[in-house]
Amino acid sequence: MAVTIKDVAKKAGVATSTVSRTIQDHSSISEKTKIKVRQAMADLGYVPNFSAQSLASKTTKTIGVIMPVSDGVAFQNPFFLEVIREISKVCNEKHYMVSLASGKDTGELLESIKMMARRGTVDGFIVLYSTWEDQIIEYLHEANLIYAMVGRPYLFENETLYVDNDNRLSGKDATNYLLQKGHTQIGYVGDDLDQVVTIERMAGFRDALQEAGIAINPQQSILMTDSDNATVTQPLEKLFEHQKTAPTALVVSDDMLAVTVMQRLLMLGYQVPMDVSIISFNNSIFAKMAYPKLTSIDINVPQLGQQVALKLIDKIEEKEAPFVKMIIPHEIIERETVASK
Amino acid sequence: MAVTIKDVAKKAGVATSTVSRTIQDHSSISEKTKIKVRQAMADLGYVPNFSAQSLASKTTKTIGVIMPVSDGVAFQNPFFLEVIREISKVCNEKHYMVSLASGKDTGELLESIKMMARRGTVDGFIVLYSTWEDQIIEYLHEANLIYAMVGRPYLFENETLYVDNDNRLSGKDATNYLLQKGHTQIGYVGDDLDQVVTIERMAGFRDALQEAGIAINPQQSILMTDSDNATVTQPLEKLFEHQKTAPTALVVSDDMLAVTVMQRLLMLGYQVPMDVSIISFNNSIFAKMAYPKLTSIDINVPQLGQQVALKLIDKIEEKEAPFVKMIIPHEIIERETVASK
DNA sequence: CTGAAAGCGCTTACAG
DNA sequence: CTGAAAGCGCTTACAG
C-alpha cells in the first residue's frame, strides 16, 4: 500500500489535519511545523491520493479539453495538437490533469461531455473551436459549467472567458500587405464556413479593400469551399475565368487550404508567386513545408494555449474572477509566396 | 448537491450496497431488484460519483496517453492526433477517461508520468511512440505499471503489450513495388533515427534489394537526416551526385519528410515522378495534399489506436491477460509519385 | 497555531 | 439474494 496522510502525521508527530493543511500551504500553520511535516513527506515519499482529495474537496483538479467533431479535414489541422500540448504544459505546472473529450459527431461528443460533467470528473472545460450555433456550448452554458474557449464565441460572448486573435484585424493586415505590394485585384478563399474565425478573416479582407476604395464583387473575388477541399478546382477556375477580373493575389483562410489552392493553381497553369501571390493564416508546419514556402500570418498558438489554460484555472480557483477576453497578437511571416506587382 | 447512492437506495427501498451491486451488474442481485433499482436511478437521474468510486475501488477508470517529447517535427505529425482520437473513442464507449501526459523534454515528461502514477490517477498507460533506450519505458517497467505501446518496443518486447504494423515488411513491400515498376537504383531516405519504426522500414528496404540481388552501397543509397528536415538539401545533392549511381526512385520513411524531399528535389532540378519516383509511409493528410499526390503506404491508424485501447483495457480489467502483440496490416495506396522505368 | 471528529460517496468483506 | 458496517484517504468546520 502507498503511504498515506496518516503515516506522515505519525512520523511528523502531528494530526492529519495539520498535514493536510501544510499540503495546501495554509497560512494558519507555522513555518516550523510546515518544515517538519514536509520533511516527513519527503522521507516517506508521500504523494497525496488524487481520488481522496477530489472526493473530500469536491474539486477534481482536472480540466476537460473539447476537440472539434472529428469528421472533415479541420480535425487534421496541426493547430489542435499544438494547442493541446500548450494546455497540457500549463496543467502540468499547476498540477492539473487534462482529460480529453472527442467524438465522431456532435451527439457522441455531447454524451461524452455530459458524462464527464455529471460524474464530476472535471472542474472546467476548454473548447478548442468556435462555430455557429453549437449544441455543445449551449449545453455547457445551460448546465452552468465552467468553460473557456479558444476563439471568439458565437453565443454568450459577453459572459464567456475566451482567448483569441483579432481575426478580423489579421484578415485586414493580410490584405493590406498584398495591397502594399501593389496588388489591386485580390481574392479571398475560405473553407469551413461554420468556423467563426473564417468569417472574421473574410470580414477583415473586406475592410481593407473598402478602405482602399476598391469595390468588391463577391462573385469575382470570394470563394468558399467545403472543408475537405475536394472541390476547389472548378470554383477556382471560375475565379480566374475572366482575364480582367482574375485576381493577382489571394488571401487564403488557412495554410492547409493554401497548399491545396497552390496545387490546383499549378494545374490550371498559374505559378505562385509569379502569376498569383498567396498569403494565408496560422503559420503551421504546412506553411514551412510547402513549396514555395508560404507567407503566412502567425497566430501565436503557444500563447493561445497557455493563456486559456491559465485563465480557466484562475476562474476555477477563485470563482469571482470576472469574464475575460484576451486577444493575442498576430504577425506576418514573410516567405516566398508573395511577389510585388 | 447531486443525487447520491443513498437517495437511490431510499427510493428503491434497498440498501446502498444493493445499489452499488446493481451498478456493477453483480450476478448475486436478483433481476427483479435490479430492475427496481435501475428504475430509481433513472427517475432520479443518478450518475455515480467518479472520485468516490475510484477511492473505494482503488481503480480509476482512466488511462494515461503518453505523447512523444514535443521538440522536433515528429510531434507535429498528424499521426498522433489521429491515434489519440481513436483511443478516445474506445475509451468513451468503455466509460474510461483519457488523460494526457506530455512534456517538452524527457525529464518533464517523466515527472508528469510519475505524478500520475503516484497520485493514482490512471490505471494504465498507452505510449504512442517507440524509441531506443527510452527512460519512460524503463520507469514504467521498473515501477511495475500497466502499459501498452503503439509501435514495437525496443525494451522488454517479450513482456509488453503492443500494437504495430509489420514495419519491416512494409519497407520491403514499398521497395518491391518500386522494383516491379522497373527501378533498380533505389535510395532510402529516413529521419528520426531514434524511432524504431524508421530503422525497421530501412531494414525492409535492404531485405527487398538483397532478395532482388541488388548490392547496396550505403554511401550511395541511404540518407538519414535529422528530424527537423532542415538539412536535407546538401546530403540529398550528394545522393544524386554521380550520374551512374543516382537513384531513380526513393523510399522515404514518412509523408512529411517526403514532402520536404520532393521540394528539395525540385530545387535541384529533378521532377517527381518523371526523374525520380517516390513512395512513402503513413498515408497521412500530407500524402493527399502534396503535389503531386504521394503514393504512400497506409498503416491503418484507426485500427492501431482502437486496438491498443481495447487491449490495454482488457489487461487492466483482468490482470491475468497474457502479453499480446498485435500486427495491423498495411496497404499500398497508389497515387502520382511513382512512374514506371 | 493545532487537533479530534465528522463527512465526502462509494465498495466490499462478512454475516445471515 | 440482501443488508449493516467498516473503510478508502483525504478536507474542513469547529473548538480550543
Side-chain angles (χ1 to χ4, degrees), chain A residues 186 202 205-207 209-210 214-219 221-222:
Chain A
I186 305 177
M202 187 175 69
F205 163 78
R206 286 171 179 275
D207 290 348
L209 292 189
Q210 192 172 322
I214 298 177
I216 301 174
N217 177 343
Q219 245 78 47
S221 61
I222 292 179

Side-chain angles (χ1 to χ4, degrees), chain B residues 232-288:
Chain B
V232 200
T233 312
Q234 253 193 332
L236 202 61
E237 212 166 353
K238 198 137 186 242
L239 215 56
F240 285 86
E241 184 171 49
H242 299 105
Q243 181 108 22
K244 47 179 175 297
T245 59
T248 62
L250 253 25
V251 177
V252 183
S253 69
D254 176 272
D255 287 336
M256 281 170 71
L257 179 59
V259 169
T260 308
V261 166
M262 285 207 287
Q263 181 178 322
R264 300 298 195 280
L265 244 25
L266 243 185
M267 287 167 52
L268 297 176
Y270 295 93
Q271 300 266 21
V272 175
M274 289 70 88
D275 303 321
V276 183
S277 289
I278 288 186
I279 184 168
S280 67
F281 298 84
N282 289 7
N283 191 29
S284 70
I285 186 168
F286 283 93
K288 292 157 214 155

Side-chain angles (χ1 to χ4, degrees), chain A residues 232-245:
Chain A
V232 200
T233 311
Q234 251 193 333
L236 202 62
E237 212 167 353
K238 198 139 186 238
L239 214 57
F240 286 87
E241 181 172 51
H242 299 105
Q243 181 110 20
K244 47 179 175 298
T245 59

Side-chain angles (χ1 to χ4, degrees), chain A residues 246-280:
Chain A
T248 62
L250 253 24
V251 177
V252 184
S253 70
D254 176 90
D255 287 336
M256 280 170 70
L257 178 58
V259 169
T260 307
V261 167
M262 285 208 289
Q263 181 179 322
R264 300 299 195 279
L265 244 25
L266 242 185
M267 286 166 53
L268 297 176
Y270 295 94
Q271 298 266 22
V272 175
M274 290 69 90
D275 304 320
V276 184
S277 288
I278 287 187
I279 184 168
S280 66

Side-chain angles (χ1 to χ4, degrees), chain A residues 142-202:
Chain A
E142 268 168 34
N144 226 285
L145 297 166
I146 298 181
Y147 68 95
M149 295 179 69
V150 177
R152 190 158 77 86
Y154 173 60
L155 260 21
F156 320 117
E157 175 170 357
N158 248 328
E159 1 177 357
T160 114
L161 173 57
Y162 73 91
V163 177
D164 197 5
N165 303 283
D166 187 336
N167 293 123
R168 183 155 185 166
L169 183 60
S170 72
K172 187 173 168 183
D173 286 352
T175 312
N176 276 147
Y177 178 79
L178 261 18
L179 253 12
Q180 280 164 27
K181 293 287 181 183
H183 295 274
T184 51
Q185 310 221 6
I186 305 177
Y188 181 85
V189 181
D191 63 356
D192 253 324
L193 284 175
D194 49 339
Q195 299 283 133
V196 171
V197 53
T198 307
I199 303 300
E200 291 190 325
R201 285 173 181 164
M202 187 175 69

Side-chain angles (χ1 to χ4, degrees), chain B residues 5 17 20-21 46 49 56:
Chain B
I5 203 171
S17 42
S20 174
R21 288 189 187 104
Y46 170 74
N49 178 285

